[in-house]
Amino acid sequence: MTTTYIALIGCGFVADYYMATIDAYPELEISGVYDKNPKRLKAFSEYYKLNTYSSIEDLLSDKKISIVLNLTDPRSHYTISKQCLQAGKHVYSEKPLAMNFEDAEDLVKLAKETNLHISSAPCSVLGKSAKTLAHAVRNKMCGDIKLVYAELDDGMVHKMAYKKWFSESGAPWPYRDEFEVGCTLEHAGYYLAWLMVMFGPVRSVTAFSDCVVPEKIGDEEPLQPFDTADISFGLLKFESGVVARLSTTIVAPHDHSIRIFCDNGVIYMDECWDNDDEVYLKKMVRIRRKTFLSPIKKKVKLPNEVKVNKVDRGNTKMDFLLGVQDLATAINTGKRNQLSADFSLHVNEVALALQYAGTQSSTYITKSRF
Ligand SMILES: NC(=O)c1ccc[n+]([C@@H]2O[C@H](COP(=O)([O-])OP(=O)(O)OC[C@H]3O[C@@H](n4cnc5c(N)ncnc54)[C@H](O)[C@@H]3O)[C@@H](O)[C@H]2O)c1
């Protein structure tokens, strides 16, 4: 077993998610952590008994470290990932890779020039439910794919008790940052990555996005910007010909389902934030002159058992280290990783096109490929 040494920058809310499955990966060793907020650094490192660094420079000078996990807020991703690549470290970044396409492209170019990897979350595409769905699609269990409806609705987050949400080690949920960055840039990647693995690169994005709840934080200091889109609806045309509709909102009631409509039926599942959610299919049946979807559902099974590291953090039942393991394997074996730099860039590009579509959108033609 080759040990891969990793370090975390950013000990906020999501960092606890990464710690949730660390015991399942004896090949990944955390050399240490850093956060610019001394209180968070102390609370997190003491809770998990981890070594700390005094600065990013101190962390990057540790020759043992191979991969840096950039778990800072989205608007800090570009600067920190760039600094890590320049110091010769592979990077696993939380999503989005960057806040605009040019910065994301710059990171990918730098990684290639320096012969380093840069990968981006989300990694749920490496989980059992995504693999099961892809297996059903690849094997045309319901025939040729014609259309996909995917939903990433989180309910009215502004009406929830979000100020009382804390991570296991005590980090508050960063509601201001979440609202300012936007739910589409934060969440669309969860299904975009799945769709891209199943159907290849997206050729065009025709989308609409808007801010329908500007008053999310009551009388607190206004959000900056105050009107980040909290709903988006995208029509994605894949190079393979498949058409998908993706909705991402923090307004409509919780719905993380996907339905894949095929010639002879539908393949579907309910929750993409659960690595172990079941995938089902229903076939079309014809009885005399009537054609309809069978009321009988059939569970889709993978031919080989896939290990699931069980996690239960509220509505998140995902193993956040799947992507880090994938990256470590790529570094150690030279094999291409699923969440490659080009793949991560493409997910980022489409998420940006959806988040910033606006209300007068025209069709956006993608530039990147993987
Ligand atoms: N909050 C969630 O539920 C969630 C879930 C999945 C993914 N994510 C993603 O994880 C990332 C982090 O989100 P979060 O919720 O943990 O945010 P957070 O604000 O709770 O944590 C970010 C941490 O990064 C630190 N930081 C920022 N700039 C830094 C710098 N220059 N040097 C050192 N530390 C720095 C901050 O002090 C903070 O502690 C985001 O990209 C987000 O999209 C969040």
Side-chain angles (χ1 to χ4, degrees):
M1 183 181 73
T2 310
T3 303
T4 303
Y5 294 91
I6 60 180
L8 276 62
I9 302 180
C11 304
F13 193 90
V14 87
D16 286 76
Y17 287 175
Y18 283 79
M19 294 308 295
T21 53
I22 191 70
D23 291 344
Y25 298 95
E27 71 277 26
L28 299 178
E29 190 165 324
I30 302 180
S31 295
V33 299
Y34 174 68
D35 196 296
K36 69 176 181 184
N37 176 341
K39 269 194 188 162
R40 270 316 299 156
L41 180 60
K42 188 170 185 305
F44 186 79
S45 60
E46 286 182 359
Y47 189 85
Y48 292 108
K49 299 184 177 48
L50 295 168
N51 175 41
T52 60
Y53 294 100
S54 58
S55 64
I56 294 187
E57 291 71 22
D58 181 29
L59 180 152
L60 294 175
S61 68
D62 185 342
K63 293 202 165 49
K64 234 178 167 186
I65 297 168
S66 170
I67 304 172
V68 177
L69 271 53
N70 182 355
L71 309 184
T72 61
D73 54 282
R75 286 172 282 195
S76 305
H77 286 176
Y78 171 69
T79 313
I80 289 177
S81 292
K82 188 164 183 171
Q83 200 178 344
C84 296
L85 290 171
Q86 283 169 334
K89 306 296 186 193
H90 301 287
V91 173
Y92 184 84
S93 171
E94 251 304 330
K95 40 70 183 166
L97 203 51
M99 291 295 292
N100 62 65
F101 181 69
E102 292 66 35
D103 284 355
E105 205 177 25
D106 190 41
L107 290 175
V108 170
K109 191 165 159 260
L110 178 61
K112 287 181 182 172
E113 281 167 4
T114 48
N115 219 4
L116 292 162
H117 290 268
I118 184 161
S119 259
S120 170
C123 65
S124 58
V125 69
L126 303 170
K128 184 182 164 193
S129 45
K131 283 185 173 161
T132 310
L133 195 73
H135 171 74
V137 165
R138 214 174 20 253
N139 289 288
K140 299 191 178 193
M141 287 186 176
C142 282
D144 284 336
I145 314 306
K146 297 299 178 198
L147 178 67
V148 182
Y149 286 177
E151 328 290 340
L152 283 164
D153 294 311
D154 275 335
M156 292 206 176
V157 174
H158 68 286
K159 294 213 168 178
M160 299 178 192
Y162 60 76
K163 290 184 189 171
K164 293 183 181 166
W165 295 347
F166 290 90
S167 71
E168 193 177 316
S169 69
W173 188 66
Y175 59 92
R176 179 169 284 276
D177 198 56
E178 291 267 343
F179 294 150
E180 289 176 349
V181 169
C183 63
T184 299
L185 212 41
E186 293 277 0
H187 298 158
Y190 285 104
Y191 267 138
L192 289 176
W194 293 33
L195 295 170
M196 287 169 189
V197 161
M198 291 187 286
F199 309 122
V202 173
R203 191 205 302 152
S204 66
V205 182
T206 308
F208 175 98
S209 69
D210 201 2
C211 176
V212 296
V213 186
E215 67 285 1
K216 289 185 195 68
I217 53 164
D219 52 10
E220 273 186 29
E221 196 186 313
L223 295 168
Q224 287 181 350
F226 67 95
D227 60 352
T228 302
D230 46 24
I231 58 165
S232 79
F233 307 98
L235 297 173
L236 313 174
K237 176 78 178 171
F238 289 81
E239 278 189 342
S240 58
V242 170
V243 173
R245 186 197 71 186
L246 175 63
S247 310
T248 314
T249 82
I250 45 170
V251 178
H254 185 101
D255 182 356
H256 286 180
S257 66
I258 187 165
R259 286 173 291 165
I260 301 180
F261 305 109
C262 317
D263 268 343
N264 303 322
V266 55
I267 306 165
Y268 65 99
M269 57 175 280
D270 289 336
E271 181 52 79
C272 69
W273 284 6
D274 179 354
N275 286 157
D276 205 16
D277 199 36
E278 300 290 1
V279 177
Y280 295 99
L281 60 81
K282 280 183 179 178
K283 291 267 177 79
M284 297 281 259
V285 285
R286 184 185 290 176
I287 298 178
R288 293 195 196 94
R289 282 179 302 157
K290 283 193 177 164
T291 306
F292 52 91
L293 265 186
S294 164
I296 299 164
K297 62 180 183 183
K298 190 175 159 222
K299 202 184 280 185
V300 179
K301 287 203 176 121
L302 282 171
N304 303 313
E305 193 61 32
V306 170
K307 189 180 163 218
V308 178
N309 297 316
K310 287 278 185 192
V311 189
D312 198 348
R313 300 275 164 112
N315 62 2
T316 305
K317 295 186 170 85
M318 293 180 282
D319 177 358
F320 278 64
L321 283 173
L322 283 172
V324 183
Q325 186 206 33
D326 182 51
L327 176 57
T329 307
I331 293 166
N332 297 328
T333 62
K335 280 190 200 152
R336 193 172 181 277
N337 55 331
Q338 180 89 72
L339 306 177
S340 67
D342 287 333
F343 183 83
S344 302
L345 178 63
H346 196 61
V347 171
N348 197 180
E349 182 181 18
V350 177
L352 285 161
L354 294 168
Q355 177 70 56
Y356 298 122
T359 55
Q360 311 284 321
S361 173
S362 52
T363 295
Y364 172 86
I365 307 296
T366 57
K367 303 181 188 93
S368 63
R369 288 294 176 271
F370 61 91

